[in-house]
Amino acid sequence: MMRLDKFLSKMGAGSRQEVKSYIRKGMVSVNGETVSRPETKIDEEKDEIFLQGKRIAYAAFEYYMLNKPAGVISATEDKKETTVVDLIREKKRKDLFPVGRLDKDTEGLLLITNDGVLAHRLLSPNHHVDKTYFVRVHGRVTEEEEKSFLAGVNIGTGDEEEWTRPARLEILKSGEESEVRLTIQEGKYHQIKRMFQAVGMEVLYLKRLSMGKLTLDPGLKPGEYRLLTEKELCDVTDENAGRH
């Protein structure tokens, strides 16, 4: 059982004080009856709650696929910058967060959810989840870089070594500017940029294409998002799918 005002606030209907005001003004009904006490206890999974005639349904978890645009930061809130969570306008939950981080100038697939267990499974290096990127670099990428990345690259600075795990590099175009598809299983700070810097190249453009079994919907333009489909949700939750 949950307090009515807490339920409405958690489902994004307004701040705690705002929803208390709505309830006291008779704008909320539970199972067809107007309720005026914010502390009224409700069963969030069974009771039907309406605010000004609009059904407020309970959502324990939300899962959004976002095509992150450049210029937006991977954070939950920021006083100066637009965050990826700010882009999700129809969200019910106030506790959404991005699963992992993409640099401000990086585009592509980002999962936005409030499922901490799933986030840990996708991000933990111990689970070996593939993360695939399209990368455009200044410099000619050859089989030598393919072998270097597969063996692991030292992205440390000075005398301090920091080796990456093996990464798969597929050359799409090789020239003064090269295009590659790169798959890694970790997410060190600025990792891909540092990997190419380690072999004398500069990343010009970076876009994440997939994360595990979740692939960016080609129909989503930068800044657009949608809920995961049932199949996508089952794919990413695997053995934990039953609890969703």
Side-chain angles (χ1 to χ4, degrees), residues 43-123:
D43 184 331
E44 65 271 21
E45 296 188 5
K46 295 181 179 179
D47 290 338
E48 293 188 350
I49 293 89
F50 285 81
L51 171 61
Q52 289 188 299
K54 180 181 178 182
R55 172 80 183 273
I56 308 296
Y58 179 67
F61 296 101
E62 287 190 287
Y63 305 88
Y64 293 95
M65 175 190 295
L66 169 70
N67 186 354
K68 178 193 171 299
V72 177
I73 64 172
S74 297
T76 56
E77 58 183 351
D78 190 275
K79 293 182 179 180
K80 296 181 180 180
E81 303 275 6
T82 299
T83 74
V84 292
V85 174
D86 291 335
L87 299 179
I88 312 298
R89 293 177 297 277
E90 289 86 4
K91 55 184 176 286
K92 293 181 178 179
R93 305 287 315 196
K94 289 188 173 183
D95 52 354
L96 297 180
F97 59 86
V99 178
R101 300 176 64 87
L102 292 178
D103 294 341
K104 185 176 179 179
D105 59 350
T106 299
E107 299 181 2
L109 175 66
L110 196 58
L111 177 61
I112 310 291
T113 185
N114 60 320
D115 189 337
V117 174
L118 174 63
H120 174 73
R121 289 181 51 250
L122 289 174
L123 296 175

Side-chain angles (χ1 to χ4, degrees), residues 137-142 145 193 196-203:
V137 300
H138 181 69
R140 186 179 298 275
V141 180
T142 67
E145 282 71 46
K193 294 176 181 178
F196 281 100
Q197 285 173 356
V199 295
M201 300 181 190
E202 178 189 2
V203 171

Side-chain angles (χ1 to χ4, degrees), residues 117-139:
V117 174
L118 174 63
H120 174 73
R121 289 181 51 250
L122 289 174
L123 296 175
S124 173
N126 295 329
H127 287 103
H128 306 292
V129 175
D130 285 345
K131 303 169 185 67
T132 300
Y133 298 78
F134 171 81
V135 194
R136 184 180 300 119
V137 300
H138 181 69

